[in-house]
Amino acid sequence: MDWRKKQTAEIPLAIDRFGKKMQQFCPRWVAENPFSELWEDYLPELLQSRMPNTNNIMAIMWDCEPGAKNYCYCEKCRLTFSKTLNKELLSTEEISQNFAAEWFAWRTKINGLAIKNFAAAVRRHFPGYPVALCTDPLHKEKPHVAEW
């Protein structure tokens, strides 16, 4: 099943730094909604559809490099981040020029919550399978994954 075909207004798409919609969900929304249709409908349906074609399932794995390349700059992400600094809504330029380290730390926290929601949903819907994460650690210093 392609989630884009089932896209509802409830699940917002991520917005890149230039204001264009990306083909991924807003990570802040994903992190803040652990019992949404994403985790309760889409993920279980997706995994269930793949299981008949997979032999000897040892774990359910999410292969991701969260926030390594493109990240959501929607107004709600920027506002939530800005509030952590006790600031009014910051622009993408202000974030990248003045708060890059703080933005990286905030993104990492949000992605950790999204991964936690993934693991919890897998455990709820597929309790017999361990959960695994396949990822490259996010690097604070260069080279970043986005530059590889």
Side-chain angles (χ1 to χ4, degrees):
M1 172 183 42
D2 186 345
W3 67 265
R4 289 168 287 230
K5 292 178 183 170
K6 195 177 175 181
Q7 178 71 24
T8 66
E10 179 187 346
I11 307 175
L13 292 176
I15 305 295
D16 71 14
R17 66 184 319 134
F18 305 107
K20 294 183 182 174
K21 288 183 179 179
M22 297 189 286
Q23 291 301 307
Q24 63 190 47
F25 296 130
C26 169
R28 178 208 43 83
W29 186 93
V30 168
E32 292 177 355
N33 294 280
F35 296 99
S36 70
E37 67 180 290
L38 170 66
W39 304 119
E40 299 306 305
D41 297 330
Y42 172 71
L43 180 68
E45 288 177 24
L46 174 68
L47 295 175
Q48 195 66 46
S49 73
R50 292 183 178 185
M51 287 182 159
N53 301 321
T54 308
N55 297 320
N56 302 319
I57 299 172
M58 298 173 64
I60 295 177
M61 180 178 67
W62 186 3
D63 184 358
C64 67
E65 280 63 47
K69 296 185 180 177
N70 296 317
Y71 202 78
C72 185
Y73 286 87
C74 73
E75 185 173 323
K76 289 185 180 181
C77 279
R78 290 183 293 112
L79 182 60
T80 303
F81 169 71
S82 299
K83 285 180 179 180
T84 67
L85 302 172
N86 296 316
K87 304 274 185 193
E88 296 294 321
L89 177 64
L90 294 167
S91 70
T92 56
E93 295 79 20
E94 289 173 311
I95 291 170
S96 61
Q97 292 173 6
N98 303 321
F99 301 103
E102 294 88 348
W103 178 246
F104 180 87
W106 181 79
R107 287 177 23 207
T108 302
K109 177 184 173 187
I110 294 299
N111 285 318
L113 293 171
I115 291 166
K116 179 181 176 183
N117 290 346
F118 167 80
V122 169
R123 289 182 182 114
R124 276 193 309 277
H125 297 284
F126 302 93
Y129 294 99
V131 179
L133 175 66
C134 176
T135 189
D136 181 76
L138 293 179
H139 303 278
K140 229 177 171 176
E141 288 80 30
K142 292 190 176 213
H144 299 121
V145 175
E147 298 168 348
W148 292 0

